């Protein structure tokens, strides 16, 4: 049985946004003023290139548009991470190697080698695969779907020129799901590549990555194309993988006032997945070795109980090998943008993006198969001029995005590879977001800048979820839940920036963010049965920031930011009672508060240093959790408890040297330490995942080849080798939250020992390994 698909007439209206421009702002000003960007934290090594990729000397790039507030933000708490010491000189395996260079960011492993879970100020710390609570853009095109889902399988670090991390609530600028921040990637422009590059990385555990980039300019055309093929055996049992990525950015500028941009991303991903262990199993067998069969499994191997007949009754324990656990996903994104300058002060943009996520995920006790196609439309106007005699940049936008969710969930059956059992659920739903955003950046004086913004958005979710049950007595039960919810959200933002001199910048900011439930949150009622979860509300965040940055010398930058965020109606899972389904519940209130410190130093003598540190204290202030077992149900007050999954302290420190002159110019090395404190795994704060410090060593050499004749026609040679986890530390690279439980006999809460033996939480980080590579530019 298939469920009907629901569509909204608002799609017709939204697609029409691409047909006509917004009305430009008032009369043309006497002069154009672009406000200077405030970057509270400058992360990354050395000077940071323009994210679009500065043109190579002698290469005339097409005339770019004036930057929008998204591309050149004022009054934001954001970090810009460039390529130096982060991408160019090291084998960056996944985006975690880049993102952790920003204060406020913690990363952990998801379900696959590039499926990284990124958390900004602890937001998204509860994620188990799909990332939510922040918005992701690439070259100005959204790669977050309408239900808030983002995944980083498509993200090969080699393709990018920079990453901007926007910290704190950002819905006034980025809309729904930007309750915790935003990530803005920019690929290298054709002018920056100016030729052809080929590279290869190889290392321990069969790791091999071949990648190539071609880019350049020809008249009004500019193109950059990145491709990669990455594969490996994995350091844990049953963790081999291979993934192929294509990333294209092309622009056509027929006249200085008109620009067309094409963006294409395609990723094919295949990965075997090991079992997530309990804390006790992690200490016994962190890398899940010797786990080919449950009958002969070594101590600490993770097993899952799958029904022998694929639907009910007797079960058999299987390891990851026996169960054939894997992910086989595809993601395709195609976007187009048109930009037109009405005059020297007013730019209109309209863009349309098609985004299709196709999944096949038969791992652990269920298998998910589905297709999630969506569209995203944006039309905006940026105006630079005067307001009340003061230089101003104004921005107004209309945005619409939609997603069709077509998902089938099956019971897993043991043995014979990734074998499916009976159909468990069929979800067909549509989510639409339609809203507008406006922003003004006003230069009050040569020292004071004010920004004000607001966003308003409606969200509608319609569809149907059909759940199938298979009683041991025989037969099939069918329960249908019709989904029909709508939400209206408003998010304001205001900031003041003060620059007493060239060295100091001070910032105060207050902003709101929101994240609506997705279709899957609506399929179980508070009674614990299939139905429309009508009580659920939007998750909201009100955040305050105070920051200062100091740059006494061009080569030295330091910043500190204090933040205090108040969450309301945080979306979490709740148990309604014995023998019933868990449902999504709004925890009434929690608080996130902390300090972020960033520093970079790049001396003329060649010494370099980078620091990114975060202290993040998060507590529930109003939350009662309900637990059940057998015939018992109990409620526990969690107010004052630490929010699980969030380390109190996290830091990256890197120190190195680059030879800048003489015959050895281009030779460099650095040592890097990544630290993360322990954190609670459960709402009751009974069990902690251990903290760790991992040390990496890097040696690299980069040199322009004279005359291009040293290696064929190559212009530049880059060599690098890195020893990771030098001291072979066993650590938790991912630790998912665990649900507390009670005794079915006494109704009392079970202790830490029960949690420590509960599987489904931990992936170990990689042991000591060596990765090296080379890159040639032609």
């Amino acid at each position: 049985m298939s469920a009907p698909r629901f569509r909204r007439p608002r799609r017709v209206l939204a697609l029409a946004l691409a047909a006509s421009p917004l009305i430009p702002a008032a009369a043309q000003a006497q002069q154009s003023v672009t406000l200077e960007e405030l970057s509270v934290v400058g992360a990354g090594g050395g000077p940071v290139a323009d994210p679009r990729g500065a043109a190579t000397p002698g290469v005339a790039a097409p005339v770019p548009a004036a930057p929008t507030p998204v591309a050149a933000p004022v009054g934001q708490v954001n970090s810009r991470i460039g390529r130096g010491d982060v991408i160019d000189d090291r084998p960056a395996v996944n985006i975690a190697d880049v993102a952790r260079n920003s204060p406020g960011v913690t990363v952990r492993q998801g379900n696959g080698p590039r499926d990284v879970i990124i958390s900004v100020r602890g937001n998204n710390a509860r994620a188990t695969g799909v990332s939510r609570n922040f918005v992701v853009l690439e070259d100005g095109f959204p790669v977050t779907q309408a239900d808030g889902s983002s995944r980083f399988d498509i993200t090969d670090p080699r393709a990018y020129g920079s990453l901007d991390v926007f910290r704190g609530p950002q819905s006034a600028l980025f809309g729904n799901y930007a309750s915790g921040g935003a990530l803005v990637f920019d690929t290298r422009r054709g002018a920056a590549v100016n030729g052809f590059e080929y590279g290869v990385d190889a290392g321990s555990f069969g790791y091999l990555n071949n990648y190539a980039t071609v880019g350049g300019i020809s008249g009004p055309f500019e193109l950059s194309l990145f491709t990669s093929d990455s594969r490996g055996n994995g350091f844990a049992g049953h963790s081999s993988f291979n993934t192929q990525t294509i990333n294209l950015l092309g622009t056509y500028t027929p006249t200085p006032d008109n620009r067309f941009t094409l963006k294409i991303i395609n990723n094919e991903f295949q990965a075997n997945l090991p079992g997530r262990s309990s804390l006790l199993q992690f200490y016994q067998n962190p890398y899940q070795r010797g786990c080919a069969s449950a009958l002969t499994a070594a101590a600490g191997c993770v097993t899952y109980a799958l029904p022998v007949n694929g639907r009910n009754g007797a079960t058999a324990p299987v390891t990851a090998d026996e169960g054939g656990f894997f992910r086989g996903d595809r993601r395709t994104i195609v976007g187009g943008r048109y930009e037109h300058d009405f005059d020297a002060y007013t730019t209109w943009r309209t863009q349309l993006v098609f985004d299709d996520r196709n999944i096949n995920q038969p791992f652990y006790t269920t298998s998910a198969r589905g297709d999630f196609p969506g569209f995203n439309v944006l039309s905006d106007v940026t105006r630079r001029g005067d307001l009340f005699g003061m230089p101003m940049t104004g921005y107004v936008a209309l945005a619409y995005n939609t997603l069709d969710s077509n998902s089938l969930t099956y019971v897993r059956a043991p043995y014979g590879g990734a074998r499916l059992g009976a159909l468990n659920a069929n979800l067909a739903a549509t989510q639409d977001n339609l809203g507008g955003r406006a922003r003004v950046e006003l230069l009050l004086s040569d020292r004071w800048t004010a920004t004000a913004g607001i966003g308003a958005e409606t969200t509608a979710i319609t569809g149907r979820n059909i759940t199938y049950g298979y009683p041991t007595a025989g037969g099939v039960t069918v329960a249908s839940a019709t989904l029909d919810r709508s939400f209206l959200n408003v998010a304001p933002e205001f900031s003041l920036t003060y620059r007493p001199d060239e060295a100091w910048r001070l910032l105060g900011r207050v902003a709101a963010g929101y994240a609506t439930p997705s279709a899957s949150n609506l399929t179980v009622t508070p009674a614990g049965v299939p139905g429309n979860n009508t009580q659920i509300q939007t998750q909201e965040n009100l955040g305050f920031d105070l920051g200062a940055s100091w740059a006494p010398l061009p080569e030295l930058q330091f910043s500190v930011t204090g933040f205090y965020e108040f969450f309301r109606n945080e979306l979490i899972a709740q148990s309604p009672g014995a023998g019933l389904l868990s449902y999504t519940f709004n925890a009434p209130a929690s608080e996130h508060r902390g300090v972020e410190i960033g520093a970079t130093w790049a001396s003329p003598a060649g010494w370099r240093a980078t620091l990114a540190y975060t202290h993040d204290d998060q507590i529930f202030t109003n939350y009662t959790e309900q637990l059940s077992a057998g015939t018992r149900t109990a409620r526990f007050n969690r107010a004052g408890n630490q929010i699980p999954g969030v380390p109190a302290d996290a830091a990256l420190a890197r120190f190195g040297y680059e030879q800048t002159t003489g015959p050895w110019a281009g030779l460099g090395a650095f040592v890097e330490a990544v630290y993360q404190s322990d954190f609670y795994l459960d709402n009751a704060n009974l069990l902690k995942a251990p903290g760790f410090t991992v040390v990496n060593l890097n040696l690299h050499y980069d040199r322009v080849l004279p005359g291009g004749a040293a290696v064929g026609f190559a212009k530049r040679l880059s060599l690098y080798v890195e020893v990771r986890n030098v001291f072979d530390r066993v650590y938790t690279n991912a630790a998912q939250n665990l649900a507390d439980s009670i005794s079915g006999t006494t109704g009392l809460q079970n202790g830490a020992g029960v949690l420590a033996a509960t599987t489904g939480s931990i992936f170990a980080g990689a042991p000591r390994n060596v990765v090296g590579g080379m890159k040639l530019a032609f």
Side-chain angles (χ1 to χ4, degrees):
M1 179 182 296
S2 63
R5 298 171 67 180
F6 292 73
R7 298 183 181 273
R8 291 264 172 172
R10 73 173 69 188
R11 292 191 184 189
V12 178
L13 170 64
L15 291 173
L17 290 174
S20 61
L22 300 174
I23 299 175
Q28 177 174 312
Q30 295 301 312
Q31 64 179 12
S32 173
V33 177
T34 301
L35 298 180
E36 181 182 0
E37 176 192 347
L38 170 66
S39 183
V40 173
V41 176
V48 179
D50 181 86
R52 298 170 182 261
T56 302
V59 178
V63 179
T68 68
V70 176
V74 174
Q76 293 286 345
V77 183
N78 74 296
S79 313
R80 176 162 294 173
I81 306 168
R83 292 178 62 88
D85 287 345
V86 179
I87 299 174
D88 274 336
D89 302 324
R90 68 186 311 179
V93 176
N94 56 44
I95 204 61
D97 294 324
V98 180
R100 64 165 55 99
N101 286 265
S102 169
V105 172
T106 54
V107 295
R108 67 174 187 263
Q109 186 66 48
N111 295 315
R114 289 212 317 228
D115 187 33
V116 176
I117 306 299
I118 297 178
S119 176
V120 181
R121 292 183 175 175
N123 298 295
N124 201 50
R126 291 176 177 267
T128 58
V130 172
S131 293
R132 285 191 171 89
N133 299 323
F134 56 78
V135 169
V136 184
L137 288 86
E138 186 165 313
D139 296 317
F141 295 94
V143 293
T144 294
Q145 293 193 301
D147 66 344
S149 60
S150 302
R151 295 201 91 129
F152 295 100
D153 301 314
I154 66 174
T155 308
D156 191 314
R158 296 291 187 192
Y160 301 104
S162 72
L163 165 63
D164 278 276
V165 181
F166 290 75
R167 309 197 298 278
Q170 297 289 344
S171 290
L173 192 56
F174 296 99
N176 197 5
Y177 297 106
S179 57
L183 303 179
V184 178
F185 293 88
D186 285 286
T187 55
R188 300 172 68 198
R189 296 294 295 262
V193 179
N194 191 29
F196 173 74
E197 297 177 356
Y198 169 74
V200 57
D201 297 343
S204 303
F205 313 114
Y207 176 69
L208 179 66
N209 182 23
N210 284 280
Y211 60 96
T213 307
V214 60
I217 296 174
S218 178
F221 296 95
E222 182 177 15
L223 177 74
S224 63
L225 172 64
F226 172 85
T227 64
S228 70
D229 178 283
S230 181
R231 56 191 65 221
N233 299 325
F235 59 86
H238 197 72
S239 63
S240 61
F241 67 92
N242 74 85
T243 180
Q244 294 76 42
T245 303
I246 297 173
N247 196 323
L248 180 144
L249 178 67
T251 60
Y252 170 55
T253 309
T255 70
D257 296 334
N258 295 280
R259 294 165 295 277
F260 297 88
T261 302
L262 174 66
K263 180 70 178 180
I264 298 175
I265 307 173
N266 190 78
N267 174 255
E268 302 280 348
F269 176 80
Q270 300 280 336
N272 290 328
L273 298 182
R276 287 184 178 269
S277 67
S278 68
L279 188 61
L280 293 179
Q281 290 168 327
F282 164 73
Y283 288 129
Q284 288 178 303
N285 192 349
Y287 308 119
Q288 292 296 288
R289 307 280 173 75
C291 301
S293 167
L295 292 176
T296 60
C301 286
V302 180
T303 60
Y304 292 84
L306 303 183
V308 174
N309 64 6
R311 59 176 58 197
N312 56 29
T315 62
V318 298
T319 64
D321 282 285
E322 290 175 310
F325 301 154
F326 83 97
R327 280 184 60 211
D329 298 352
R330 176 188 55 78
R331 183 84 177 270
T332 302
I333 299 173
V334 180
R337 178 167 59 233
Y338 170 63
E339 299 173 82
H340 174 69
D341 296 332
F342 288 106
D343 51 42
Y345 316 99
T346 309
T347 299
W348 166 56
R349 303 186 311 161
T350 289
Q351 65 184 32
L352 173 66
V353 178
F354 170 71
D355 185 346
D356 183 46
R357 176 167 52 99
N358 190 282
I359 67 170
N360 179 20
Q361 301 176 352
F363 61 87
Y364 307 151
T365 58
T366 61
S367 174
R369 287 188 174 182
D371 189 42
F372 302 84
F375 287 91
N376 191 301
V377 184
L378 173 73
S379 189
D380 63 27
V381 168
T382 301
R383 172 75 177 180
R384 294 159 296 280
D386 286 351
L387 182 64
F388 306 120
M390 294 175 287
M392 175 273 299
T393 296
Y395 175 79
V396 61
L398 291 178
Y400 169 77
N401 54 75
T402 183
L403 179 72
D404 285 331
S405 298
N406 306 281
S407 177
L408 300 174
T409 304
Y410 295 87
V411 180
R412 277 301 319 272
Y415 313 123
R419 194 160 62 93
L420 302 185
L423 180 64
N424 178 252
N426 181 356
L427 173 65
T430 297
Q431 178 163 340
D432 297 294
N433 302 308
L434 175 64
R437 302 189 279 274
R439 179 182 176 88
V440 173
E441 301 173 352
L442 191 62
L443 190 63
L444 303 176
S445 70
D446 58 350
R447 295 187 178 183
W448 289 92
T449 303
T451 67
I454 191 168
E457 190 167 4
T458 64
T459 296
I461 303 174
T462 57
R464 181 173 296 168
N465 184 63
I466 303 173
T467 304
Y468 302 91
Y470 303 93
T472 55
V476 180
T477 62
V478 180
S480 178
T482 299
L483 313 179
D484 189 2
R485 290 297 312 278
S486 61
F487 307 87
L488 173 62
N489 295 287
V490 177
E493 176 187 358
F494 179 76
S495 70
L496 274 174
T497 304
Y498 176 57
R499 300 177 177 88
D501 53 42
E502 288 297 319
W504 283 95
R505 297 179 186 179
L506 308 176
L507 171 70
R509 178 178 182 267
V510 57
Y514 55 85
T516 61
S518 60
S520 60
N521 300 139
L522 304 176
T523 58
V524 180
T525 73
V529 296
N532 193 347
N533 192 8
T534 57
Q535 56 81 40
I536 198 169
Q537 302 299 318
T538 298
Q539 175 178 288
E540 299 174 329
N541 180 18
L542 177 62
F544 298 84
D545 294 282
L546 284 175
S549 64
W550 181 48
L553 299 171
E555 62 268 18
L556 177 63
Q557 297 181 3
F558 178 82
S559 66
V560 59
T561 303
F563 63 90
Y564 211 122
E565 298 179 353
F566 298 86
F567 271 76
R568 296 292 180 269
N569 295 322
E570 183 178 1
L571 298 170
I572 61 174
Q574 176 90 340
S575 172
L580 299 172
L581 299 173
S582 293
Y583 71 103
T584 302
F585 172 80
N586 292 120
S590 59
E591 296 179 5
H592 304 182
R593 56 272 179 109
V595 177
E596 300 162 332
I597 298 174
T600 60
W601 175 52
S603 78
W607 296 102
R608 294 183 179 183
T610 297
L611 172 68
Y613 167 76
T614 305
H615 175 72
D616 195 354
D617 179 32
Q618 301 195 4
I619 61 170
F620 292 115
T621 55
N622 183 4
Y623 172 39
T624 299
E625 183 176 22
Q626 183 170 295
L627 303 175
S628 60
T631 60
R632 299 277 186 170
T633 297
R635 296 169 64 86
F636 300 88
N637 183 9
R638 304 304 191 197
N641 284 13
Q642 296 290 315
I643 296 177
V646 181
D649 298 283
L652 176 140
R654 182 167 53 245
F655 182 76
Y657 176 78
E658 299 288 323
Q659 180 65 35
T660 58
T661 61
W664 291 103
L667 181 65
F670 62 77
V671 58
E672 175 185 82
V674 178
Y675 166 75
Q676 184 174 288
S677 64
D678 56 11
F679 58 87
Y680 286 108
L681 289 171
D682 65 305
N683 290 335
N685 290 179
L686 300 176
L687 186 69
K688 282 188 172 183
F692 62 83
T693 300
V694 172
V695 176
N696 305 316
L697 288 177
N698 176 283
L699 178 67
H700 55 271
Y701 178 69
D702 180 80
R703 186 171 181 83
V704 175
L705 301 175
V711 182
F713 295 100
K715 298 181 296 186
R716 193 180 197 98
L717 171 67
S718 298
L719 302 170
Y720 42 84
V721 64
E722 191 160 305
V723 182
R724 300 190 165 188
N725 195 0
V726 172
F727 300 108
D728 204 20
R729 177 72 183 271
V730 177
Y731 67 100
T732 57
N733 196 32
Q736 307 292 4
N737 295 344
L738 293 171
D740 291 293
S741 61
I742 61 173
S743 167
T745 303
T746 65
L748 298 177
Q749 185 170 259
N750 291 319
V754 173
L755 286 172
T758 302
T759 60
S761 178
I762 295 175
F763 284 151
R768 183 190 298 121
N769 62 97
V770 179
V771 185
M774 60 159 285
K775 182 177 69 174
L776 287 170
F778 299 89

